[in-house]
Amino acid sequence: MSQVLVLPPTDPHLFTRSPPASPLQLAQCPPWAPPDESLFPELPPLLHGHPDLHLRNGILSAAASSDSDGERAFFVADLTHVYRQHLRWRACLPQIQPFYAVKCNPDPYVLRLLAALGAGFDCASNGEISHVLGIGGIHPSRIIFANPCKAVSFVRNAAKMGVDTMTFDNADELYKIARAHPRAQLVVRILTDDTKALCQLGIKFGAPLATVPGLLAKAKELGLTVVGVSFHVGSGCYDPSVYTDAIMRARTAFDMGAEAGYRFSLLDVGGGFEDALFEQAASCLTEAIDTYFPDRSGLKIIAEPGRYYVSKAFSLATNIIARRAPLNESPAALSELPSVMYYINDGVYGAFNCILFDHQIAHPYVLCMGDSFHIPSDEPLHTSSVWGPTCDSIDCVCPTAQLPRALRVGDWLGFDNMGAYTICAASQFNGFQVSKVVYTTGGFGSSEVRSILAKFAADIECAASL
Ligand SMILES: *Cc1c(COP(=O)(O)O)cnc(C)c1O
């Protein structure tokens, strides 16, 4: 009989999170090592160089690769873009602390950079909370559990993890919280006008103002602490003036709080910030806050931006894997109907799920054609359609696009603005893998980003060893 090998019992401490580092512990950490490419051993390398360079490098290495999936689509993420968005935020909204909405893109480098920059985090589930706290160096007070409808086990888990700030918009939530996390610091999520947004959230969340006094009375009766008000004007908000109305409603909710015997100290203006309209949104917000909250002593103002930080930070390179004529043999030259269908190796079941879930429109451009990165501007075009790789006909990335006639199988199409609500919701339907990410600090702010990350990495490592 062979000898049975008895394994020693697993050390239970291996599976428990070390407590967050205190500021004192961090202060004891030595100066950090010079930045290099492997700041976080568990993550892919952080490269130097402009994102376009890495799009090209990725294509060149695909051409040289003999892998079974050597031509795989890939993202290039430029972390300096996230950094510059943060500087822009601080310049336009210095009095509002951003709590990044993790669901938008829980990328490990993005989360670490934002943590290092001092941002907080908006989490909606146990998974997101563990993910953020698992990074290390992030105190649970930097998390708002901003899902107004939580499973009771999630509320209990938040209590255990030390996450106290959480939103609610209904009475059942108050009963659950009274049972599972009576010390919680509650934020009432109110309903605001979200009709000016790509993705409306008001059909699912937000207490109409008329219901707020009743909810606050119930909270009081249950002995709960309500500390403030939140709202969300809808994701992808294209009319920043809605912030004015939302702040006015938040003011009313603050007054209702005072009536109910609470002294609110937190105003959470939610997400919805669009890159192109950011300055406009910031000035609407600032003006409305000045008008409706002229006395801001003891008031903390936070926001939950998601898309704003990451949308433009990620580009996607896709390979044309197939090409064919459309079914309808119409005289394409005379109509706007596509005269050729291109099939690429990421689609709506992958990164382009943003077309279905986030109401986005994809704009392809040619990255590489006939082994050349130089595409002459007078290249003759034809109307084309672009499709994903799965066997489902819903998998259409772009129903019409003007693309060069000379485009062939093996050429590459690029897509910008692919950082928000893409990778996070991508599936592996039909056996296609989620496209990988190549990281760089290619733009303006490169050395700052690298030293900010290096210091963060060193602080975490030091705090973990104390
Ligand atoms: C999705 C979401 C956000 C982020 O919205 P963006 O439009 O990406 O800024 C913020 N807060 C809550 C509660 C959300 O559900």
Side-chain angles (χ1 to χ4, degrees):
M1 237 208 201
S2 63
Q3 211 185 336
V4 178
L5 182 68
V6 180
L7 294 170
T10 312
D11 178 357
H13 294 292
L14 278 181
F15 296 106
T16 54
R17 189 173 44 90
S18 53
S22 69
L24 181 65
Q25 282 175 328
L26 293 177
Q28 287 166 352
C29 292
W32 23 285
D36 70 1
E37 289 185 2
S38 51
L39 300 171
F40 304 95
E42 68 278 24
L43 299 187
L46 179 56
L47 307 175
H48 293 271
H50 194 274
D52 288 350
L53 175 81
H54 294 291
L55 287 167
R56 290 176 180 202
N57 282 350
I59 291 170
L60 290 172
S61 61
S65 147
S66 53
D67 285 5
S68 57
D69 59 354
E71 71 284 89
R72 253 174 85 176
F74 61 93
F75 288 94
V76 173
D78 180 6
L79 295 177
T80 61
H81 180 79
V82 177
Y83 174 65
R84 289 193 304 273
Q85 291 294 83
H86 191 68
L87 297 183
R88 191 175 166 201
W89 183 284
R90 283 210 292 234
C92 294
L93 292 170
Q95 55 177 343
I96 304 185
Q97 194 193 347
F99 278 55
Y100 174 64
V102 173
K103 77 163 187 285
C104 180
N105 186 342
D107 180 89
Y109 270 113
V110 169
L111 295 183
R112 280 160 178 78
L113 177 57
L114 289 173
L117 290 168
F121 296 93
D122 154 8
C123 295
S125 64
N126 272 353
E128 288 185 352
I129 290 173
S130 331
H131 191 69
V132 168
L133 293 179
I135 290 172
I138 300 171
H139 195 273
S141 64
R142 285 168 66 185
I143 292 180
I144 178 167
F145 199 167
N147 183 341
C149 300
K150 301 170 281 295
V152 70
S153 64
F154 279 35
V155 179
R156 208 176 296 120
N157 183 66
K160 206 164 77 196
M161 307 293 267
V163 173
D164 296 334
T165 311
M166 53 183 69
T167 61
F168 73 98
D169 68 0
N170 65 87
D172 283 318
E173 199 69 8
L174 292 172
Y175 289 113
K176 280 185 278 175
I177 295 168
R179 222 162 18 125
H181 194 357
R183 294 173 297 99
Q185 309 275 300
L186 300 183
V187 178
V188 59
R189 163 112 167 238
I190 59 167
L191 182 65
T192 55
D193 177 14
D194 67 354
T195 55
K196 311 286 168 51
L198 283 180
C199 308
Q200 298 178 3
L201 297 168
I203 54 166
K204 191 167 175 189
F205 297 117
L209 274 184
T211 67
V212 171
L215 288 172
L216 294 178
K218 179 54 75 183
K220 219 25 183 195
E221 183 192 316
L222 293 168
L224 293 169
T225 310
V226 185
V227 297
V229 177
S230 77
F231 58 79
H232 197 305
V233 296
S235 193
C237 176
Y238 51 80
D239 179 1
S241 71
V242 294
Y243 283 106
T244 310
D245 177 68
I247 293 290
M248 186 184 75
R249 294 195 208 193
R251 172 75 259 171
T252 308
F254 263 67
D255 296 339
M256 290 168 167
E259 290 270 293
Y262 288 112
R263 213 181 114 59
F264 286 174
S265 57
L266 182 70
L267 171 63
D268 175 355
V269 302
F273 302 92
E274 271 287 317
D275 183 79
L277 300 172
F278 179 64
E279 278 71 16
Q280 248 174 289
S283 77
C284 285
L285 256 180
T286 307
E287 198 175 304
I289 291 170
D290 280 344
T291 306
Y292 295 103
F293 292 85
D295 173 16
R296 295 191 283 281
S297 54
L299 178 66
K300 179 174 163 182
I301 311 178
I302 69 171
E304 302 163 353
R307 187 189 305 280
Y308 166 79
Y309 271 102
V310 287
S311 175
K312 288 188 158 180
F314 288 63
S315 299
L316 178 67
T318 63
N319 187 258
I320 297 175
I321 53 168
R323 182 182 64 142
R324 45 164 278 180
L327 283 183
N328 50 335
E329 283 294 338
S330 57
L334 300 175
S335 74
E336 282 305 295
L337 284 175
S339 56
V340 60
M341 303 165 74
Y342 292 108
Y343 295 69
I344 58 174
N345 52 357
D346 202 340
V348 304
Y349 283 97
F352 292 103
N353 71 80
C354 58
I355 292 168
L356 299 182
F357 294 137
D358 195 31
H359 314 284
Q360 296 295 311
I361 295 167
H363 300 286
Y365 62 90
V366 180
L367 268 174
C368 179
M369 188 168 75
D371 293 333
S372 170
F373 294 115
H374 175 69
I375 320 299
S377 56
D378 58 354
E379 207 35 66
L381 305 176
H382 59 180
T383 306
S384 323
S385 56
V386 181
W387 300 77
T390 68
C391 292
D392 189 345
S393 61
I394 200 178
D395 195 358
C396 179
V397 171
C398 199
T400 55
Q402 296 300 320
L403 290 169
R405 283 174 182 274
L407 205 58
R408 298 285 182 268
V409 170
D411 291 340
W412 290 78
L413 292 179
F415 297 84
D416 289 338
N417 308 334
M418 287 294 288
Y421 305 107
T422 51
I423 308 169
C424 51
S427 79
Q428 297 190 34
F429 175 63
N430 242 189
F432 294 98
Q433 287 170 28
V434 178
S435 301
K436 290 235 168 57
V437 185
V438 172
Y439 296 93
T440 185
T441 55
F444 168 77
S446 173
S447 57
E448 289 92 330
V449 168
R450 300 185 85 86
S451 50
I452 289 163
L453 282 173
K455 174 155 173 21
F456 184 71
D459 284 349
I460 289 177
E461 201 178 315
C462 164
S465 68
L466 286 176

